[in-house]
């Protein structure tokens, strides 16, 4: 399909492990956003890329969270030394350009044991 | 700071009836965008409808319409002729038109459509 693709769909990790979540945006989309959605809540902004440049990382909750988009296409969100409070759905969204609606992937459901 | 408030945790509607989901917002910006997204149990956020702060007419997309009352800072979603497949979580969101245009979401309303 031509939508935003995220992998894995589900990830279970033990506390203290590192995890990496992948996002394949819609081809040609310049803007890429990561959001975190806790159970029963609306998504909350984590970080924003315009092409390969990370222009806003104000929503990253701690320095354990790191995101990259080295070639301006696929993005990876990495969480180091995971904690139980990191358990959430991580949503990726892309938009064609500034001002266009954001299109979301199915998300990665992360559970930290 | 921007804030979205959705006061209805859950709503029930019968098939073929219309339903209104409430959304109020708070911002000091003059230029902003308002969105509604649908999130089925599968987890994907599906874009439904958009209203710009300077749009004079209410947005419509098929069975979805947005009742935009700027002075009251409300942006309610109206779904006409509800279908069983409309059962899902619905999120109202605001986008700042300055800066990097992240979305700020409300807490959502769970809609259940009954036969």
């Amino acid at each position: 399909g031509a939508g935003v693709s995220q992998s894995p769909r589900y990830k279970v990790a033990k506390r203290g492990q590192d995890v990496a979540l992948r996002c394949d945006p819609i081809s040609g989309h310049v803007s890429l956003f990561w959001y975190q959605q806790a159970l029963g809540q609306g998504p909350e902004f984590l970080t924003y890329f315009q092409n390969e440049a990370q222009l806003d990382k104000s929503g990253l909750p701690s320095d354990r969270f790191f995101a990259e988009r080295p070639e301006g296409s696929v993005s990876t969100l990495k969480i180091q030394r995971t904690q139980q409070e990191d358990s959430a759905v991580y949503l990726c969204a892309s938009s064609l350009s500034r001002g266009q609606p954001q299109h979301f992937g199915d998300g990665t459901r992360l559970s930290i044991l | 700071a921007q804030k979205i408030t959705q006061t209805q945790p859950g709503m029930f509607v019968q098939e073929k009836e219309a339903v209104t989901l409430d959304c109020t917002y708070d911002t000091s910006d003059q230029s902003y965008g308002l969105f509604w997204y649908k999130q089925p149990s599968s987890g994907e956020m599906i874009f439904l409808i958009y209203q710009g702060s300077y749009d004079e007419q209410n947005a419509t997309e098929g069975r979805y319409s947005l009742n935009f009352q700027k002075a009251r800072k409300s942006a309610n979603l109206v779904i006409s002729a509800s279908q069983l497949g409309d059962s899902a979580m619905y999120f109202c969101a605001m986008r700042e038109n300055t800066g990097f245009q992240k979305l700020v979401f409300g807490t959502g309303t769970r809609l259940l459509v009954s036969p």
Side-chain angles (χ1 to χ4, degrees):
Chain A
V4 178
S5 177
Q6 290 188 247
S7 61
R9 284 283 279 132
Y10 303 92
K11 177 69 178 177
V12 179
K14 291 183 179 178
R15 188 165 59 91
Q17 288 183 329
D18 298 348
V19 298
L21 312 179
R22 176 188 169 105
C23 172
D24 263 292
I26 295 172
S27 178
H29 277 200
V30 168
S31 298
L32 187 146
F33 299 80
W34 283 97
Y35 294 86
Q36 180 191 58
Q37 186 176 18
L39 189 64
Q41 300 296 315
E44 292 192 356
F45 170 79
L46 292 176
T47 188
Y48 164 68
F49 289 87
Q50 182 175 297
N51 295 307
E52 70 279 3
Q54 188 176 20
L55 299 184
D56 187 353
K57 51 183 181 179
S58 62
L60 296 176
S62 78
D63 58 7
R64 296 185 296 104
F65 286 70
F66 172 75
E68 60 183 5
R69 194 186 185 197
E71 297 178 359
S73 178
V74 171
S75 177
T76 303
L77 176 67
K78 298 179 180 177
I79 309 174
Q80 298 176 325
R81 304 181 304 281
T82 51
Q83 302 292 318
Q84 280 198 319
E85 61 263 28
D86 300 335
S87 296
V89 174
Y90 290 84
L91 293 164
C92 176
S94 70
S95 66
L96 183 60
S97 63
R98 203 167 176 279
Q100 298 298 310
Q102 293 177 29
H103 298 272
F104 284 78
D106 289 347
T108 293
R109 185 175 297 276
L110 176 65
S111 298
I112 304 300
L113 305 178
Chain B
Q2 297 178 323
K3 185 177 179 181
I4 295 285
T5 301
Q6 295 181 255
T7 58
Q8 305 157 314
M11 289 287 286
F12 295 90
V13 66
Q14 277 202 311
E15 203 176 5
K16 299 177 186 173
E17 299 286 310
V19 63
T20 298
L21 306 184
D22 294 342
C23 172
T24 58
Y25 61 91
D26 190 20
T27 181
S28 55
D29 292 343
Q30 295 301 308
S31 178
Y32 49 88
L34 295 157
F35 298 78
W36 278 90
Y37 284 85
K38 171 184 178 182
Q39 189 175 43
S41 56
S42 59
E44 182 184 4
M45 297 287 282
I46 301 168
F47 165 68
L48 296 178
I49 196 166
Y50 164 78
Q51 179 86 40
S53 58
Y54 291 119
D55 295 342
E56 294 191 352
Q57 295 211 338
N58 287 342
T60 60
E61 288 286 348
R63 295 186 298 110
Y64 304 108
S65 60
L66 199 152
N67 184 1
F68 181 46
Q69 298 188 38
K70 193 171 183 177
R72 295 181 60 190
K73 293 190 174 179
S74 74
N76 298 340
L77 177 70
V78 180
I79 305 174
S80 62
S82 297
Q83 301 172 356
L84 295 178
D86 293 337
S87 293
M89 283 291 289
Y90 288 81
F91 289 95
C92 180
M94 169 183 287
R95 180 189 69 196
E96 56 187 14
N97 283 353
T98 56
F100 303 121
Q101 304 199 324
K102 65 186 178 189
L103 292 175
V104 175
F105 287 84
T107 52
T109 296
R110 181 171 297 280
L111 177 66
L112 183 61
V113 181
S114 59

